[in-house]
């Protein structure tokens, strides 16, 4: 649901937050957070009680009244924010329960892991490329060696990939040192616990993959720096409009908050360990390490559960197919019975017809009678063999005395008798 900043401000002072939240389809806590985020003053505590007696607090002026962007209130987004808050509370409680941390973050990198050393070298190459680009001009980059091409800029963050021989990261220069100081003890601790960490070639074009594996199970890691949407100043927007340059009201800028994403095969989305308001990432290192140590067992459990679910699905499908076959087979018996009834009536009519013929041959000569009776014997012999009653009786005896098989004569089985091997 969409509204504007001014409309939300007016409604917040006309309708209590609990009732207004129902109008937007979210909780009052979530709506309050939206107001605080957009710098919308809210009625103080006790305002609505005093207002019922003709008193109340005076409505203040809206800060930055000329700034009136559209505000989208998504109930699903509010639920996600609520879940994120609950997760943060659980992390805080888990960190407080740790008495003796196993991992500590050093102030400086001492004897760093090879992947960390390579990241430092890559950062120096990036700085050199950026310096060179400022000197020769960005338009002259096509004249340079491919190694001198500038790094990919993602809202002020630079991408460090496995192609560079690094742990996959997206961080700016100011946050790189902290990210490496967090990764260095983590990688060393994983190797001490039997994990193999290496870069392996995958496919063509010298593509590489960072393998963090133990007991044949692989996990992936990615370090991402967050960004904040910062409003662009009026002066910059005016300059952009003067030169017909497209300029958004807000731009993304790296904010220095780190997020370590651990991807486990079988899970829908990666598990994130990130900086929280009360608990920085450095205090969550033991939780992060323990999660990665438990990952191989978790992957096996997920795979076994999938195999078990698939096996149960196939068994249910086999039973359902068998029962469906029983229903179809029983329906076919009915159709056969109706065809037998039709044939039985035709044979009765045939018998009457043959008897009538016999009565009409009384005046025939001996030779004519002999030929007529010969024809009647042929017809009666074929009619006897086509008799559906004798055929059906023989079929019932054969089925009753035959050895039972899973898919033999399904019409005489009851439902759900088939058990897959």
């Amino acid at each position: 649901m969409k509204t504007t900043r001014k409309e939300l401000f007016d409604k917040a002072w006309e309708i209590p937050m609990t009732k207004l939240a129902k109008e937007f389809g979210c909780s009052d806590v979530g709506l309050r957070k939206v107001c605080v985020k957009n710098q919308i003053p809210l009625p103080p505590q006790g305002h609505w009680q005093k207002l019922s007696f003709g008193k109340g607090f005076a409505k203040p002026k809206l800060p930055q009244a000329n700034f009136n962007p559209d505000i989208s209130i998504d109930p699903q987004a509010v639920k996600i924010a609520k879940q994120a808050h609950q997760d943060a509370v659980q992390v805080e409680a888990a960190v407080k329960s740790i008495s003796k941390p196993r991992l500590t973050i050093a102030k400086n990198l001492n004897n760093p892991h090879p992947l960390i050393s390579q990241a430092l070298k890559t950062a120096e190459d990036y700085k050199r490329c950026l310096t060179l680009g400022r000197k020769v001009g960005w338009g002259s980059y096509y004249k340079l060696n491919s190694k001198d091409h500038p790094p990919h800029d993602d809202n002020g963050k630079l991408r460090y990939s496995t192609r560079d021989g690094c742990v996959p990261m997206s961080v700016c220069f100011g946050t790189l040192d902290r990210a490496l100081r967090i990764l260095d003890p983590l990688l060393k601790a994983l190797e001490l616990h039997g994990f193999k960490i290496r870069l392996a070639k995958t496919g063509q074009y010298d593509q590489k993959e960072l393998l963090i594996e133990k007991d044949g199970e692989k996990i992936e890691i990615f370090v991402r720096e967050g960004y904040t949407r910062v409003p662009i100043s009026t002066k910059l927007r005016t300059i952009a409009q003067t030169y017909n340059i497209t300029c958004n009201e807000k731009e993304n800028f790296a904010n220095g908050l780190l997020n370590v994403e651990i991807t486990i095969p079988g899970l829908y989305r990666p598990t994130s360990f990130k900086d929280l308001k009360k608990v920085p990432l450095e205090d969550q290192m033991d939780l992060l390490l323990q999660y990665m140590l438990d990952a191989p067992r978790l992957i096996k459990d997920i795979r076994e559960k999938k195999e078990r679910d698939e096996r149960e699905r196939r068994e249910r499908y086999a039973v359902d197919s068998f029962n469906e076959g029983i229903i179809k087979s029983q329906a076919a018996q009915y159709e056969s019975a109706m065809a037998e009834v039709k044939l039985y009536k035709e044979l009765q009519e045939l018998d009457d017809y043959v008897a009538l013929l016999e009565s009409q041959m009384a005046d025939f000569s001996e030779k004519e009678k002999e030929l007529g009776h010969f024809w009647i014997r042929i017809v009666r012999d074929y009619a006897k063999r086509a008799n559906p009653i004798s055929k059906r009786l023989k079929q019932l005896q054969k089925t009753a005395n035959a050895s039972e098989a899973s898919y033999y004569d399904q019409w005489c089985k009851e439902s759900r008798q088939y058990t897959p091997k």
Side-chain angles (χ1 to χ4, degrees):
M1 188 172 181
K2 286 187 176 181
T3 183
T4 63
R5 185 167 176 262
K6 289 182 179 180
E7 289 177 356
L8 185 57
F9 171 67
D10 293 335
K11 287 184 177 182
W13 283 86
E14 294 173 359
I15 306 173
M17 191 62 62
T18 52
K19 295 182 180 180
L20 184 61
K22 293 180 181 179
E23 180 180 332
F24 287 100
C26 62
S27 65
D28 57 334
V29 176
L31 185 59
R32 189 178 298 275
K33 289 183 178 180
V34 172
C35 294
V36 172
K37 182 179 179 180
N38 289 274
Q39 298 181 356
I40 297 176
L42 297 175
Q45 188 175 3
H47 169 74
W48 300 107
Q49 293 179 350
K50 292 183 178 181
L51 194 63
S52 62
F53 294 100
K55 300 180 182 181
F57 294 94
K59 182 179 178 181
K61 293 183 178 180
L62 179 64
Q64 300 180 5
N66 295 328
F67 181 62
N68 189 33
D70 290 336
I71 298 176
S72 179
I73 301 177
D74 185 4
Q76 185 64 26
V78 174
K79 290 182 180 179
I80 293 174
K82 184 177 180 181
Q83 183 62 41
H85 175 70
Q86 294 177 353
D87 294 341
V89 172
Q90 293 178 358
V91 170
E92 293 173 12
V95 169
K96 289 180 180 179
S97 64
I98 299 174
S99 57
K100 295 182 180 180
R102 290 186 289 178
L103 288 183
T104 56
I105 307 302
K107 293 183 179 180
N108 299 307
L109 288 171
N110 296 319
N111 190 20
H113 189 276
L115 292 175
I116 304 302
S117 300
Q118 184 60 37
L120 291 172
K121 294 179 182 178
T122 303
E124 293 299 326
D125 291 339
Y126 284 172
K127 291 178 181 179
R128 178 180 57 81
C129 291
L130 293 173
T131 303
L132 184 61
R134 295 188 186 97
K135 289 183 179 179
V136 302
W138 304 112
S140 303
Y141 251 48
Y142 70 93
K143 299 179 182 179
L144 302 176
N145 190 296
S146 60
K147 294 183 179 180
D148 295 328
H149 286 177
H152 175 68
D153 188 354
D154 179 16
N155 298 320
K157 303 177 294 184
L158 302 180
R159 295 296 296 262
Y160 298 80
S161 65
T162 52
R163 181 178 296 181
D164 304 315
C166 310
V167 176
M169 294 184 295
S170 177
V171 297
C172 66
F173 286 133
T175 315
L176 177 63
D177 179 69
R178 178 175 173 239
L180 296 181
R181 286 189 291 108
I182 288 175
L183 284 175
D184 186 53
L186 179 63
L187 298 180
K188 292 177 180 178
L190 290 174
E191 289 182 335
L192 288 175
H193 285 83
F195 279 80
K196 295 181 180 179
I197 303 175
R198 59 189 178 89
L199 289 169
K201 289 186 178 181
T202 57
Q204 54 184 350
Y205 307 117
D206 294 332
Q207 294 182 354
K208 295 181 180 179
E209 179 184 9
L210 177 62
L211 298 180
I212 303 178
E213 57 182 343
K214 183 181 181 182
D215 300 332
E217 308 297 346
K218 302 175 183 178
I219 58 179
E220 299 178 7
I221 187 171
F222 184 77
V223 180
R224 186 193 311 275
E225 181 180 0
Y227 62 84
T228 302
R229 293 182 61 81
V230 179
I232 301 300
S233 65
T234 306
K235 181 178 180 181
L236 287 178
R237 284 201 294 270
T238 303
I239 295 174
Q241 292 174 359
T242 303
Y243 294 95
N244 294 325
I245 300 175
T246 303
C247 182
N248 299 323
E249 291 187 353
K250 292 184 178 181
E251 292 292 341
N252 299 331
F253 292 94
N255 57 15
L257 300 178
L258 289 179
N259 181 5
V260 179
E261 298 177 355
I262 308 299
T263 301
I264 290 182
L267 293 184
Y268 178 70
R269 60 181 62 184
T271 303
S272 298
F273 293 83
K274 55 187 177 181
D275 286 317
L276 302 175
K277 289 184 178 179
K278 298 182 180 179
V279 185
L281 189 57
E282 285 82 352
D283 294 340
Q284 305 175 41
M285 292 303 297
D286 280 18
L287 302 180
L288 174 57
L289 175 61
Q290 189 60 47
Y291 181 79
M292 297 186 73
L293 294 179
D294 296 338
R297 179 67 262 174
L298 178 60
I299 296 172
K300 291 180 181 179
D301 292 342
I302 293 173
R303 183 170 59 251
E304 290 174 358
K305 184 179 182 302
K306 282 188 174 182
E307 292 174 355
R308 185 168 59 254
D309 293 344
E310 178 64 19
R311 185 166 57 251
E312 292 176 355
R313 186 194 66 80
R314 290 180 180 178
E315 290 177 357
R316 288 195 302 270
Y317 176 78
V319 173
D320 293 342
S321 299
F322 183 72
N323 294 338
E324 185 178 352
I326 291 174
I327 296 173
K328 290 182 179 179
S329 180
Q330 291 176 349
Q333 298 306 309
Y334 169 77
E335 298 294 335
S336 299
M338 296 303 294
E340 291 171 5
V341 169
K342 182 179 179 181
L343 178 60
Y344 177 73
K345 290 181 179 179
E346 291 176 352
L347 290 177
Q348 283 185 325
E349 292 177 358
L350 177 63
D351 187 56
D352 295 340
Y353 172 72
V354 171
L356 182 61
L357 284 177
E358 283 183 317
S359 65
Q360 297 293 329
M361 289 191 300
D363 298 334
F364 276 23
S365 65
E366 292 297 326
K367 187 175 182 180
E368 291 172 343
K369 287 182 180 179
E370 182 180 358
L371 181 61
H373 287 302
F374 177 71
W375 182 87
I376 290 174
R377 285 198 306 271
I378 292 175
V379 173
R380 282 178 171 169
D381 182 57
Y382 273 93
K384 182 179 180 180
R385 283 183 283 173
N387 187 354
I389 295 179
S390 59
K391 280 188 174 183
R392 177 55 58 190
L393 292 174
K394 289 180 180 179
Q395 182 64 32
L396 291 173
Q397 290 176 333
K398 181 180 178 181
T399 302
N401 298 319
S403 59
E404 186 176 357
S406 299
Y407 293 98
Y408 181 72
D409 285 327
Q410 288 184 301
W411 63 267
C412 60
K413 301 286 192 303
E414 292 184 3
S415 298
R416 299 180 178 84
Q417 283 194 348
Y418 171 64
T419 304
K421 296 181 179 179

